[in-house]
Amino acid sequence: MTEQDNGTNNVKVLKKPAISAVWLVPVIALVFGGWMLFKAIKSQGIFITIQFNSASGIAVDKTQVRYKGLKVGTVKDVEVTDDLQHVIATVEMIPSSSNMLNEDTLFWYVTADISFEGVKGLDTLLSGSYINIQPGIDEDADSERSFIALDDRPDMDSTTPGLHIVLQTNTLGSLGKGSPVTFKQIPVGRVEGYSYNQDNDIIDVNVFINPEYANLVKESSRFWNASGIEVEASLNGGINVKTDSLATIIAGGIAFDNSEYEAQLDPAQNGFTFELHPDFQSAEMGHTIVLELEWNSGVDKHAPIMYQGLTIGRIQEFSRIDAEKRKIVAKVKMNPRTIPYLTDNTEFFVVSPELDLGGVTNLHSLLTGSHISVRLSPLGESKDRFLVYNHKPPYPYTEPGLHLILESHVSTKLKPGAGVFYHQQQVGSIQAVEFLNPKKSMVHIFIKPQFQDFVKADSRFWDVTGFRITGGLQNFEVQADAIQSILKGGVAFDDGLTETSTEISNGTVYQLFNSEDTAKQREYVEFQIATAKDIAVGTRIMYRGEKIGSVHEIQRQKGLETVIAGLYPEFKPVLREDSLFWLVKPQVSLAGLTDTEALFGGSYINAHIGEGEPSNKFIITMQAPEKPTYSEGLQLKLQAKSGNVVNIGSPVSYHGIKVGQVDSIQLDDEAEGVVIHVTVDELYRHLITSFTRFYNASGVTVSGGLTNFTVKTESADAILTGGISFYNPDNIPNANLVEEGEKFRLFSSSAHAELAGQTVTVYFQDVSSLRENMNVKYNDQKVGVVSKLVFDESHFGAHAIIYLNDAGRNFAVEGSRFWFAQPEFGLVGNKNLEAIVSGGFVAILPGEGESKTEFVAEPLAPVTTELPYGLNVKLSSPKLGSIRPGNPILYRQIKVGEVIGVDLSNDAATVDIYVNIYQKYSPLVTAESKFWNTSGVKIDAGLFSGVKIDSESVETLLSGGIAFSTPSVAEQVTQGHEFELYPQADESWQSWQAEINLE
């Protein structure tokens, strides 16, 4: 039980003590903590996130965010994005940076950068890399806490003091942000950045110029890419290397300058746009013009514009290609100094390399490519659009010198740039060639001022391109002018014929002839012809085998064909009213070739001089007319079997000298042969007599045999063109001259003409070896020829028509004998060897008596019984043995004569051997002389005496022979004395030693 329970309650009232000081500690701590919390909250920065491509170099709590070198934040955390492509850096920014953190704020990572421009971010080498910030300055921009960092420093703000401009280019090249901008190689600015303008397909390059140099940039300034090294090379200037500063060589850069040839404009303002040229040369060519080129001009982009060897412009680009009009429009940059000369009189033309026999024209363009040349002119209105010619146009008439136009009626291969020559010296050049139609062209030429007085009013101009081969077989000529003209072509001119000179004005038109030969043909002549299909420009006009002119032009109008031609002045007398002209053409048939002159030289127009008044209008006939007998010279007619032996115009010659010509060839009245009309020059009329013999002198005549071989031709012309010659026999008394129109026979050859002294007929029973044109001989001398064989009705024999020449005509008498001679062979000595080649000949033995023209040939050669010289004797023998004509007659083994014939005696009981003793040895033969046969060899043999061989000589051993001996001096026998021929000699005969005087 408690006191409570006992009702006993002792209450004590105690006084509470004050708050203990112990509680001050937590209070103070709480206050301090609150203050610290407040301070911490107040000093806490602004957290933002920045996205980077890479976290390389970024360290948590170390990498700072700086603004103008001051720390404004620190990286607190770095983590990778969910797609693993980027990193997110959490950055705590200072509280005061709140106003700069908006959507325009830019961040980029700064690290050390060493280049030729210098060292950037050098402070990062000590303090480390950092993040730079460029605050957004737009107050209306929205606040932002998440950012994407730039890869590089952003472009400078346009509010930065200095000049901010834009350069436009098609390619960036080696330019980059920070690339220097120089003025006369002084750094005055830098590239702040660049961007691609997709709308204009162009690159905008932002450039900053330092404030102190901003006034150097004018509105007319020209900027160019100065990166790397610029190399220029040419044949004349060699190699030229250009560069700006060392920094721009490797790192790239931009340079600019102001033209001293243009008026200076105002300084450029911020935002001004300039063209950035690819190089200095392009920038220098700052004036823009437009050129229209032909479709096939062959000029490429960047081709230079040249003036007097200097580059004053360049093709920048081809702005338009018009396939329908086949035009190409090019944008060209020209040197500004040319602006005053770009007028409507200025001419542009393409210059391309040309390769020909003369070498390479425009060699520099062969290496560098085609270019455009220009003729600048200060005259006229200014313009900036021009047409480009594919070839050099002619000089304007304002150019000092003489400007002429040459009209050509034939196609020409002349080209601009070829020379104009005077006496093989170049005095000008061809400026242009206008082709009006396939057969007409206008050639513009320029004569240098110092040579223009050489041109006269009647000067003739002609084409001297290459060399020309003119003429035919009778007149072959190679024409050439100066070496330059042979290789490159050109035009030449002469002095004309007038001595007085008149001033020639620019634009005067002259005719251009196709050759010097044509230009010299100053006598105008006009022909009418039914058809000119076989006539062309250059067709020759001939007179008596000589060229006197040629065709210059053919006009065809309404079925009428007019031939315009020219003649050399010296042949003006040909142009008479009654003169005749006709066309000569070559003809080839199975019968042969007619008129080889026309074959090799082409068809030509032949002429006969007539009488009457001068005229220059004629008609050309298709057939040669008969020449009137009143014409100059002796007119003759030659009867021939065919007309293919000569041509119209073929020469008539005498001893190789031309004395006339063939005028025409016609069928005779019976149409069995032809009549050849010839004219013998008046100077040589006296050579023609009634005994004159004409013959065909065409080609080559081969005659003779093994011992006398002859190749003969009348003249070089006659070999191919045909010709006629004639022969006058010697010692013809009372040779009368002939009258006009006299007729003669045309022999087939000179041999026939010369052998035509006497005609005889010889009948041969055996004609197996007989031939036409076979020779007739007497003692191996030609005295005639077999002209023709006429077979008899039995066809076994034939009559030989033989022409005997003037030496053999005396053989046409009674007693003359003819026979066919063939080659004869023996062991010693041969006869008629030339007959091996010719097949034999007709031999003749002259007789005596009255004239006779018909003979019968001997079946064998007649026996020769005597000769007109020496001592002729006859030997009788029972048989002939090996004796043959030609066998020697020996005296003491010395040949003193020979056997000339063998025959049977009249009663056929013995053989008659006819011997001729040489005149010197004729005293050796007396009535006591003994003859014996020495043919073969004598052999005596005995048992005890042995073998003895005896022979008169080796010759008699082989071929036979006769020997004789005389016992004593006695009276010489007379001609025809007869002796007996013994088979062998008596031993006593060989011992005779008679001394006989032979003197």
Side-chain angles (χ1 to χ4, degrees), residues 325-388:
K325 296 182 178 180
R326 303 183 69 82
K327 295 286 186 180
I328 299 174
V329 179
K331 178 182 177 182
V332 175
K333 292 292 185 178
M334 297 288 292
N335 193 310
R337 70 188 72 181
T338 63
I339 293 176
Y341 305 99
L342 296 174
T343 66
D344 49 15
N345 287 321
T346 298
E347 295 173 324
F348 291 83
F349 54 93
V350 176
V351 176
S352 301
E354 296 181 3
L355 179 63
D356 53 28
L357 291 176
V360 180
T361 305
N362 304 320
L363 178 61
H364 58 287
S365 61
L366 180 65
L367 302 177
T368 61
S370 300
H371 67 270
I372 296 176
S373 190
V374 60
R375 287 185 188 147
L376 300 174
S377 175
L379 304 177
E381 299 293 331
S382 297
K383 61 184 297 188
D384 58 4
R385 191 180 187 93
F386 300 88
L387 178 65
V388 180

Side-chain angles (χ1 to χ4, degrees), residues 301-320:
K301 185 178 179 181
H302 303 306
I305 312 297
M306 307 291 292
Y307 175 75
Q308 301 294 335
L310 301 175
T311 300
I312 60 173
R314 194 172 294 274
I315 294 180
Q316 192 77 9
E317 62 179 351
F318 295 111
S319 57
R320 185 165 61 90

